[in-house]
Amino acid sequence: INAALCQLDDVEQDYITKLKSSESEMKAKTSIISAVGKQLCDTTDELNFFKDENVKATILIDSLTHDLETTKEARLEAEQEVARVKINLKKLKEKEVAKKNKAVEQEQVEMRKAFNDQFGEANKKYNALENKFRSTKDDFRRVKSDFENSSKSLKNKDVEVAKLKAALAGLEAK
């Protein structure tokens, strides 16, 4: 009878140990989910920052384009006023304007490319963190389900142990 009681106590200790292990694992997963959630928020903030920077860059580009068009119109009017200027000087100015336009367009292309590259990287990070968050969330649900199943099983075992102890006490009493 004492051996049976010892075995029952061992079974009870095993289930208590498993329950504590499940609780520890659940706490660890909860911490991971919190960290991933924070990273997701940070990445979302970063993404919004890049979107705002894109809007600012687009406004700046539009303003520069408008300023460039205004400058071209002013130049044409000035050229009409100084039609007496030598043809060589006029050609030189036209070449400089073409270089300037090409440089501005090249800079615009490079700025857009750089922004698109940065935005793409941020978007990749965001998607990776979102996938990790979903995976961790699924793991958390699985661990929680395992924990609940273990708890139910432990309660059933506790009831069985109590019945066996009562039966054993009844046998000892006889």
Side-chain angles (χ1 to χ4, degrees):
I1 293 177
N2 285 338
L5 284 175
C6 286
Q7 286 178 344
L8 288 175
D9 288 340
D10 289 344
V11 168
E12 182 179 352
Q13 283 301 320
D14 285 345
Y15 281 106
I16 290 172
T17 302
K18 286 180 183 177
L19 178 63
K20 288 181 181 179
S21 174
S22 293
E23 288 174 344
S24 296
E25 187 177 355
M26 191 169 95
K27 286 179 184 177
K29 294 289 183 171
T30 301
S31 297
I32 291 170
I33 288 172
S34 295
V36 169
K38 183 180 182 325
Q39 287 177 344
L40 182 62
C41 287
D42 292 345
T43 302
T44 301
D45 291 344
E46 215 174 63
L47 183 61
N48 289 335
F49 171 76
F50 284 123
K51 285 180 182 177
D52 291 343
E53 288 299 314
N54 184 33
V55 169
K56 290 176 185 177
T58 302
I59 291 170
L60 179 60
I61 289 169
D62 290 342
S63 174
L64 289 173
T65 303
H66 179 266
D67 289 347
L68 183 60
E69 290 173 6
T70 303
T71 302
K72 286 180 184 179
E73 292 171 7
R75 178 174 287 127
L76 288 174
E77 291 173 8
E79 287 175 352
Q80 290 172 359
E81 290 179 14
V82 291
R84 303 174 304 213
V85 178
K86 296 179 182 180
I87 294 175
N88 290 339
L89 181 59
K90 183 177 178 183
K91 288 180 182 179
L92 179 61
K93 286 183 180 181
E94 289 174 355
K95 287 180 183 178
E96 289 300 315
V97 168
K99 285 181 185 178
K100 181 178 179 182
N101 289 340
K102 187 174 181 178
V104 167
E105 289 174 5
Q106 183 63 33
E107 186 63 31
Q108 288 174 343
V109 167
E110 289 176 10
M111 286 175 64
R112 284 185 182 130
K113 184 182 181 308
F115 174 76
N116 287 335
D117 290 346
Q118 289 176 346
F119 181 78
E121 286 297 318
N123 201 29
K124 285 178 188 177
K125 288 179 183 178
Y126 173 79
N127 288 335
L129 285 173
E130 187 173 19
N131 288 338
K132 188 174 181 181
F133 174 75
R134 286 183 182 147
S135 172
T136 304
K137 190 174 179 181
D138 291 343
D139 288 346
F140 174 76
R141 286 183 182 144
R142 182 188 49 78
V143 168
K144 184 177 178 182
S145 174
D146 290 347
F147 173 75
E148 290 171 355
N149 290 338
S150 294
S151 293
K152 288 176 185 176
S153 177
L154 181 61
K155 287 179 184 178
N156 291 338
K157 296 295 180 184
D158 286 344
V159 169
E160 288 178 24
V161 167
K163 286 179 182 178
L164 289 172
K165 283 183 178 182
L168 183 61
L171 290 175
E172 288 179 348
K174 289 183 181 182

